[in-house]
Amino acid sequence: MEKNSSNREQKYGSEGGMKESRAQRFMKREKGEKAEKKAPLGRGTHRHAERRKSVFSRAEILGDKKIPDDARDIIENFGDIAADVMGLSSKQRVFLAAEIRKLSHKLTDERTTRRVGYMNDAQSVSAYISYFMWWNIVRLTRLFSSLPKKALDIPDGGIAIDIGSGPLTAVTALYLARPELRSRRITWYCMDISQNALAQGEEIFLSVAAKILSKGGKAEPWRIIRVKGAIGTEIKEKASLVTCANAFNEMIQNETMPTDFLAKKYSGTIESYLEGDGSKPATAILVEPGDPHSARFVSLMRDAFIRRGFLPVSPCPHAGECPMAGRTQGKRDGKWCNFAFSTDGAPDKLLKLSEKAGLPKERASLSFVVCRKDSAEEAEKKRAAELEKTGEERKDARLRIRIASDFIKLPELHKSGYYACSELGLLLAIDESGARPKNGESLEIPYPQGKLAKDKKSGARIVSI
């Protein structure tokens, strides 16, 4: 979470990470390869040993380790690739930073007076692609490469729909991030009100795909069908996947209807695009900026999808009520779910362009949810497997938690830790083992027994990792 919990949250090093040597020592200790220091026997010794063994499964999200090697060079030089496709002259590239700054004002403090069709303007499109699309490629390739396989299960010959596609940012990022999908014959319906953005985006996607293929890939570019229109535009074929990235924050900003009503409305529209006969799974992916308003809407969309029979695949470790639903009328200081990473590893050319445009970034963040409706057969198998669990298996269950903040110093507890999401609600996870998980990382710990203490400031239940 990016600076939204309280004034006691602080950055710690590089995303709360730990040095390699310390990590190696921790893993050796977990495997019993290093003898523990002798300590007086007693209740505290056993409990401390158990805490050290508590984290046995870790899964990072928004990391860059899973980004394919053949995609890294393209991401690093995406600005040059886009400029070549758009045919930007040297003079246009000189004035690009000023156009980016101008567009940034249109998207933020001048958004109430911004034209709906601003992306049909050639200068706005070139500025958007050169800066905003590039940053979104960085974010989305990290996200898509780390999502579980079932979140992106598009079959060969399958149909997918990208709503609010703009210059095909999500489609391009997915092609870069998931090489196992490149060989599948996928048809993408890319929907947007700006024909100009769609046209430029398709050319950029084809250029990126060609560069991937020139590096030795055997896949073919996916088939792109441009659809000029807003969400709700009819598409005759049903999809196995619907993506919507950085679109709802623009769609709803001038809406007068309550956001919970809009979530109910738009979740229904997205469901209408998906396979609905129960024979195949269907997945919806929503990604929005990591700000409080957008995160609140993502949480409402999650709830609306659950009511329609979908289950959250990621980042949620459970399908219960969202404990990080954001700021509401009854809870003005509510925690809001978003995940952040340092921009230290971002492309150098992009960081320099950001500085030149007066929009430097030290951190990048997003809010997202992946919701999936299993086929009837898969759903029945899951129910049967749950019923077959024995009492001992339930007793030995693990609790899956999602780290949802940076490193926090807790002077009142003389400890340090993180906020986390779980089926128990909001947690304050005390880092007893020195695991130092990253923002967004998923952990599994022994299921807490007995009544848990609560943090006085946030109301979060306190657990140890």
Side-chain angles (χ1 to χ4, degrees), residues 118-393:
Y118 73 97
M119 283 289 279
N120 282 313
D121 176 70
Q123 289 180 323
S124 293
V125 170
S126 62
Y128 184 90
I129 289 172
S130 301
Y131 176 82
F132 295 97
M133 181 180 180
W134 197 354
W135 271 117
N136 287 329
I137 289 286
V138 171
R139 291 183 179 95
L140 292 176
T141 50
R142 282 176 173 248
L143 174 62
F144 290 158
S145 64
S146 65
L147 287 178
K149 185 177 180 180
K150 65 179 179 179
L152 297 164
D153 190 19
I154 313 172
D156 188 38
I159 303 297
I161 299 171
D162 187 33
I163 298 172
S165 193
L168 279 64
T169 308
V171 177
T172 303
L174 187 59
Y175 192 87
L176 288 168
R178 303 300 288 235
E180 76 274 15
L181 296 178
R182 296 175 192 163
S183 60
R184 299 183 189 177
R185 293 171 294 110
I186 299 172
T187 297
W188 277 91
Y189 287 88
C190 298
M191 181 189 303
D192 199 274
I193 60 173
S194 171
Q195 189 68 265
N196 190 18
L198 289 172
Q200 294 280 19
E202 183 177 5
E203 291 300 314
I204 290 171
F205 168 74
L206 292 173
S207 179
V208 165
K211 290 183 182 300
I212 289 288
L213 296 175
S214 70
K215 295 177 183 291
K218 298 179 181 179
E220 292 295 329
W222 297 325
R223 182 186 179 206
I224 304 296
I225 298 178
R226 287 180 272 162
V227 180
K228 186 178 185 301
I231 183 171
T233 301
E234 183 182 1
I235 293 178
K236 293 181 180 180
E237 294 188 274
K238 296 295 184 181
S240 58
L241 173 69
V242 170
T243 59
C244 191
N246 301 298
F248 278 115
N249 67 95
E250 290 194 23
M251 288 184 204
I252 68 174
Q253 62 187 220
N254 294 321
E255 286 275 6
T256 57
M257 300 302 293
T259 48
D260 55 348
F261 171 84
L262 295 173
K264 180 179 179 181
K265 171 186 172 183
Y266 288 129
S267 63
T269 304
I270 290 173
E271 185 182 28
S272 72
Y273 287 132
L274 290 164
E275 300 275 6
D277 61 3
S279 63
K280 300 175 182 177
T283 305
I285 300 179
L286 278 71
V287 186
E288 292 294 329
D291 61 70
H293 183 68
S294 298
R296 171 65 179 157
F297 187 73
V298 169
S299 178
L300 289 170
M301 288 289 282
R302 171 191 181 273
D303 291 346
F305 274 118
I306 290 174
R307 293 190 190 98
R308 294 179 181 278
F310 290 74
L311 290 176
V313 173
S314 185
C316 315
H318 62 92
E321 182 180 352
C322 178
M324 307 187 77
R327 299 168 183 171
T328 63
Q329 287 185 345
K331 202 172 184 180
R332 295 292 183 182
D333 60 344
K335 302 290 181 290
W336 41 283
C337 180
N338 73 110
F339 304 97
F341 61 92
S342 168
T343 59
D344 289 346
D348 289 338
K349 294 177 183 178
L350 177 56
L351 292 173
K352 289 178 182 177
L353 178 61
S354 300
E355 288 278 355
K356 191 174 180 181
L359 301 167
K361 280 185 185 292
E362 293 183 359
R363 310 214 345 127
S365 66
L366 54 78
S367 294
F368 79 98
V369 70
V370 180
C371 292
R372 172 184 164 101
K373 182 183 283 188
D374 287 330
S375 67
E377 183 180 356
E378 286 178 316
E380 183 56 38
K381 285 180 180 178
K382 284 184 179 179
R383 282 193 292 268
E386 185 66 24
L387 290 172
E388 287 176 2
K389 286 184 179 178
T390 67
E392 278 303 308
E393 285 175 328

Side-chain angles (χ1 to χ4, degrees), residues 394-461:
R394 293 181 188 280
K395 182 180 177 182
D396 295 336
R398 318 297 288 195
L399 177 66
R400 185 164 166 249
I401 69 174
R402 177 75 70 182
I403 301 299
S405 79
D406 287 334
F407 179 80
I408 306 168
K409 289 184 178 179
L410 306 168
E412 63 271 35
L413 298 177
H414 305 290
K415 295 180 183 297
S416 59
Y418 306 81
Y419 284 116
C421 176
S422 80
E423 65 180 64
L424 298 177
L426 183 66
L427 300 179
L428 183 59
I430 306 300
D431 192 8
E432 299 279 9
S433 63
R436 290 284 172 82
K438 293 183 179 180
N439 187 327
E441 196 167 358
S442 173
L443 308 178
E444 286 186 356
I445 64 174
Y447 208 97
Q449 303 297 316
K451 188 176 181 179
L452 297 174
K454 287 190 175 182
D455 176 44
K456 292 180 180 179
K457 193 161 190 174
S458 64
R461 291 179 172 85

